[in-house]
Amino acid sequence: MARNIQSLERAAAMLRLLAGGERRLGLSDIATSLDLAKGTAHGILRTLQAEGFVEQDPTSGRYQLGAELLRLGNSYLDVHELRARALVWTDDLARSSGESVYLGVLHQHGVLIVHHVFRPDDSRQVLEVGAMQPLHCTALGKVLAAYDPVAHSQAQEVERKSFTAHTVTGLEDFEGVLDLTRARGYAADIEETWEGVASVAAPIHDRRRMPVGAVGVTGAVERVCKDDGDLRPELIAAVRDCARAVSRDLGASRF
């Protein structure tokens, strides 16, 4: 059996201690409660403080939980609420469109697939929940980069790899794509990530009007696009309607 890492156990115990009881605790209180030497406790606190998990009051010198923990907690809750609210609507979208439906959120400079509804036919398909997609060329990623400032910054910073001859990699051209996405209210990916595959996606907002994810439809180009190569307008409308419905269920009142 693998041994636990003592420093991580102590850091976890410290966070639990700060989460209960008094709002702020001094170094001596923390060290005594956890039976640690002051130097050891101080070293762990400094590391947690540097990562944003702990904050120190400049006047009293006491410690409390930091904002980074709140952000992580909210992210966990948001993703689970997002999936729960989207289940019915994404099922309906897959049924009406006849294509696969994906729900994605920003994660580690990419798009994390948190829900996947199979194309409603008898074809063999692989569940892609937990898969990562790039921000700069997928429809889901473009939506997040267009509406979420954090995703936008990350898409600018990362290498915009070319997957096909249609992938947009230049920063100026990419910014133009994001401007178009915001103007239209949806993003397109026509063979930019995978040859022969096209996607359309739209943003999902919460009650604070913050972008919390994106929903999209993906399928073969000949089914998703018209003969002239443009996306089928009925698919665009269906994806946008789904995004609005999920946003309403999350408390968003205006679009």
Side-chain angles (χ1 to χ4, degrees):
M1 180 182 293
R3 296 177 60 187
N4 292 341
I5 300 174
Q6 188 180 56
S7 59
L8 292 180
E9 288 183 329
R10 289 172 170 175
M14 200 168 286
L15 292 174
R16 293 191 187 99
L17 179 65
L18 290 170
E22 296 182 32
R23 179 173 172 79
R24 295 189 179 98
L25 292 173
L27 174 60
S28 296
D29 300 322
I30 295 170
T32 300
S33 297
L34 299 179
D35 195 24
L36 296 173
K38 278 189 178 182
T40 301
H42 187 239
I44 296 172
L45 283 167
R46 281 194 306 174
T47 301
L48 291 173
Q49 186 178 2
E51 296 297 328
F53 296 136
V54 164
E55 295 174 357
Q56 185 179 29
D57 181 74
T59 303
S60 66
R62 290 175 172 264
Y63 295 89
Q64 65 182 22
L65 294 180
E68 181 65 10
L69 276 178
L70 178 62
R71 187 190 69 80
L72 292 176
N74 283 341
S75 175
Y76 175 84
L77 294 173
D78 285 348
V79 167
H80 284 263
E81 184 180 6
L82 175 62
R83 286 190 69 255
R85 299 289 185 179
L87 290 176
V88 172
W89 299 112
T90 50
D91 282 348
D92 287 347
L93 179 58
R95 194 160 41 246
S96 65
S97 67
E99 301 295 345
S100 300
V101 175
Y102 295 88
L103 189 69
V105 299
L106 178 66
H107 181 68
Q108 293 182 350
H109 294 77
V111 183
L112 173 67
I113 303 302
V114 296
H115 186 53
H116 174 199
V117 184
F118 283 166
R119 184 171 64 254
D121 59 19
D122 295 328
S123 62
R124 184 176 180 180
Q125 300 172 65
V126 177
L127 186 66
E128 296 188 42
V129 172
M132 293 290 293
Q133 295 185 1
L135 284 171
H136 70 285
C137 56
T138 61
L140 293 172
K142 292 177 191 176
V143 164
L144 293 175
Y147 288 91
D148 184 339
V150 176
H152 185 192
S153 296
Q154 291 183 1
Q156 290 177 318
E157 294 167 359
V158 300
E159 177 190 2
R160 289 176 295 280
K161 180 181 175 181
S162 180
F163 292 95
T164 75
H166 304 286
T167 307
V168 174
T169 58
L171 182 56
E172 186 175 345
D173 291 338
F174 177 64
E175 291 295 339
V177 169
L178 298 188
D179 288 340
L180 181 60
T181 297
R182 286 185 284 266
R184 299 191 301 193
Y186 70 90
D189 167 10
I190 303 176
E191 297 190 281
E192 293 181 50
T193 313
W194 302 280
E195 295 282 357
V197 177
S199 304
V200 56
I204 296 172
H205 296 87
D206 65 8
R207 63 185 61 86
R208 300 162 296 176
R209 288 290 299 152
M210 296 295 292
V212 293
V215 62
V217 159
T218 298
V221 169
E222 58 267 25
R223 297 194 307 267
V224 176
C225 297
K226 302 182 296 180
D227 291 340
D228 63 5
D230 290 336
L231 291 167
R232 287 166 47 196
E234 63 270 26
L235 270 184
I236 297 172
V239 169
R240 296 191 69 191
D241 286 345
C242 177
R244 291 190 189 103
V246 178
S247 296
R248 279 195 298 270
D249 277 2
L250 288 171
S253 57
R254 294 183 297 107
F255 303 94

